[in-house]
Amino acid sequence: CNSAATLRYPEMQLDMVRDGLARISLAGDLNIAQGGFKGLGPVGPDDAPELAALKRSLGQFSIKAPSVRLRASNSGIELNLLETVQLTPTQGGQVRLEAAKSPLFTLSPNGPASGAAKLVSTPGGGLPRAEIDIPRWQMTPRGFEAQMSGRASLDFGPAQGIDLSASGLLRSASGTTTF
């Protein structure tokens, strides 16, 4: 049985096709007024002022993704950024997730979750100036690994005015992280 349907909303389009395979494609704008990341923990009394500012910035932000596409089928899931995504903390600064030729996220029945990304942050509210290129990342049985290169300018605690650059394989497995 073959069938197709398209639903359009002001900022999003959903296409569904069934012709031996089930395929769904969702494309459009995604805006989130209040997001947050608590992975660094709450601001604590022993935090350096820069760490406390970073935790506050990452704890409350907005996201503007002007063009994203999510495809799902029997052969897997793929998330693509068609334009740059902007994450803007209420404390200042900005993080941009640049659109890339490769998907941000891919999941297939025969392989690990993987993807690619490029992050650029502008300073403010505890965020450093940084550019990080991740041409490939993937989940592993015990964690993840990411081929990456980047540079950053840091003012953090006693380390003020630090410019650094690095490239290599970031690997996290069973509670151990190496670069």
Side-chain angles (χ1 to χ4, degrees), residues 75-150:
S75 60
I77 298 170
E78 184 177 282
L79 176 63
N80 287 279
L81 305 178
L82 306 177
E83 293 183 38
T84 298
V85 173
Q86 295 179 357
L87 182 146
T88 306
T90 57
Q91 304 290 315
Q94 186 179 72
V95 177
R96 294 187 320 274
L97 187 55
E98 304 284 339
K101 293 178 184 177
S102 300
L104 176 66
F105 177 83
T106 301
L107 180 62
S108 70
N110 302 323
S114 63
K118 180 174 182 178
L119 296 162
V120 178
S121 71
T122 55
L127 294 175
R129 180 178 314 281
E131 290 184 32
I132 302 169
D133 187 24
I134 306 167
R136 175 137 175 92
W137 67 266
Q138 73 177 23
M139 299 304 294
T140 64
R142 295 190 176 109
F144 74 92
E145 59 185 32
Q147 189 64 45
M148 59 190 299
S149 62

Side-chain angles (χ1 to χ4, degrees), residues 28-72:
D29 298 353
L30 178 64
N31 295 303
I32 300 171
Q34 294 183 346
F37 173 74
K38 307 293 184 192
L40 297 177
V43 174
D46 296 331
D47 287 344
E50 296 86 358
L51 179 58
L54 180 62
K55 288 179 177 182
R56 282 191 288 277
S57 283
L58 295 178
Q60 191 174 9
F61 52 79
S62 64
I63 297 175
K64 290 188 181 191
S67 186
V68 297
R69 182 178 60 224
L70 178 66
R71 292 182 177 163

Side-chain angles (χ1 to χ4, degrees), residues 131-133 147-152 163-169 179:
E131 290 184 32
I132 302 169
D133 187 24
Q147 189 64 45
M148 59 190 299
S149 62
R151 62 180 190 214
D163 291 323
L164 54 96
S165 63
S167 63
L169 181 66
F179 184 69

